[in-house]
Structure formats: C-alpha cells, structure tokens
Amino acid sequence: MDKTVRVQVAKRVMVHRFQKEVLRHKVYMAHDEMENCNNGDVVRIEHCRKLSRHKSFAVAEVIKPARSWTDPETGIVHR
C-alpha cells in the first residue's frame, strides 16, 4: 500500500492476578502523505477522518529517525 505505514503502540498494563506489569501492543495503520517514514522511526500519529477500511490516523511528525549505518565493503546504507 502506498503512503501507508504500520505503527505499533506499546503500553504497560498490570495483570492483577499475578501482580505483574506486562507490555501490550496495538497496531495502527497510518497515512504518510510525504512517504518520509522509514522502518524503525519513532513517529507521532493523530486521528483524522477515515481514509480507508483500516486507516483513520495520519503521521503528524517523525520524532526520532531510525539509526542507519553504512556497510564499509559495499557502501550500502542500512536502516
């Protein structure tokens, strides 16, 4: 899908039965108009009108880009 990113949001919840904190994940599909998001970026999403069956969020900003490194042998930049 063009101009679509998959955003995973994590939150900590308490399981009262075991008195432990666990990490739960929720996945949202968000619209990325400029296609400037890459794998591993930390982004802020905001609610917008429903754009498709699964998309009702849009990427507001890239907070922290993913780390990248260059392979010294080939010169290819990896994200």
Side-chain angles (χ1 to χ4, degrees), residues 2-5 30-45 58-66 79:
D2 291 338
K3 298 185 179 185
T4 301
V5 291
H31 183 67
D32 182 18
E33 182 66 35
M34 301 297 172
E35 295 187 35
N36 56 3
C37 292
N38 293 309
N39 194 11
D41 288 351
V42 177
V43 298
R44 184 173 66 85
I45 59 174
V59 175
E61 65 176 320
V62 176
I63 296 172
K64 183 173 122 181
R79 294 202 133 226

Side-chain angles (χ1 to χ4, degrees), residues 15-55:
V15 178
H16 294 290
R17 182 173 183 167
F18 303 114
Q19 294 299 312
K20 285 184 109 175
E21 219 175 54
V22 295
L23 201 61
R24 300 279 186 206
H25 299 281
K26 173 93 173 148
V27 174
Y28 297 100
M29 300 299 264
H31 183 67
D32 182 18
E33 182 66 35
M34 301 297 172
E35 295 187 35
N36 56 3
C37 292
N38 293 309
N39 194 11
D41 288 351
V42 177
V43 298
R44 184 173 66 85
I45 59 174
E46 59 186 21
H47 188 74
C48 65
R49 67 177 179 83
K50 198 155 184 76
L51 299 170
S52 69
R53 181 177 169 195
H54 299 288
K55 280 198 301 189

